[in-house]
Each structure stands twice: as C-alpha cells, then as structure tokens.
Amino acid sequence: MPHLLFENFPYASNKDNYCDLQICIIERSFYIKIPPFFRVESLYHHPNIDCGKKSYYVHGCEEELLKSTYIKDVPLTNGIRCIFIVFS
C-alpha cells in the first residue's frame, strides 16, 4: 500500500488543496499535483516516482533538502516549486 497517502487525498475531490510541483530526475522532468501540507518524504510514496533510496535537492543548493520539509516551504525557482531527485 505505498500509494495510500495519495489515495486518501484524491486530486479530483481536493483540487483547491493541491499545488504543482516539478520533479526533475536524470532521465526526465515532469509535474505532479500534491497537497502543500505534505512533506517531502511523501514523494517516496508517489505513484509516478520510482521506489528506492533517494535524496532531494532544490536548484542551486548543494545541501540535501530535509525530508521533513513541507512542500509549501520548498523554495520557488522562477516561480515554480521544483525538487531534484537523485537516486542512490
């Protein structure tokens, strides 16, 4: 049940409570809809993001983003919330 977190807050019935988040990984870049009150660690359970050990970063910062950071607190880059995911 890894996707249960996102199934409990379905986008179709909670559109006003979601925000856009750009995900960048080596192979591709894409957008997901996610509640801003979710934490970065919730991305581990997103159905569009591969499982496995990963680290999260924001543009221009070499320091790893804390998994306890709320999505709403991810800094904007050119007006967009964006997280770079590095698989290890």
Side-chain angles (χ1 to χ4, degrees):
M1 288 196 242
H3 308 303
L4 186 59
L5 180 62
F6 287 89
E7 291 169 3
N8 284 338
F9 296 92
Y11 176 70
S13 59
N14 292 289
K15 291 180 183 177
D16 293 338
N17 295 322
Y18 271 65
C19 67
D20 291 320
L21 177 67
Q22 184 179 15
I23 302 293
C24 298
I25 54 178
I26 291 176
E27 308 86 37
R28 61 193 168 110
S29 175
F30 57 95
Y31 287 88
I32 63 170
K33 300 282 190 186
I34 188 168
F37 55 84
F38 277 16
R39 294 180 186 206
V40 169
E41 64 192 341
S42 68
L43 294 173
Y44 187 84
H45 302 288
H46 193 277
N48 295 344
I49 301 172
D50 295 335
C51 293
K53 187 173 178 177
K54 52 188 85 93
S55 300
Y56 306 95
Y57 297 88
V58 294
H59 182 71
C61 185
E62 294 180 12
E63 188 174 325
E64 186 176 347
L65 191 60
L66 295 175
K67 292 172 180 66
S68 61
T69 303
Y70 289 98
I71 297 299
K72 66 180 177 70
D73 295 330
V74 171
L76 295 172
T77 301
N78 298 325
I80 300 170
R81 293 191 198 294
C82 178
I83 292 181
F84 292 82
I85 299 177
V86 177
F87 291 88
S88 45

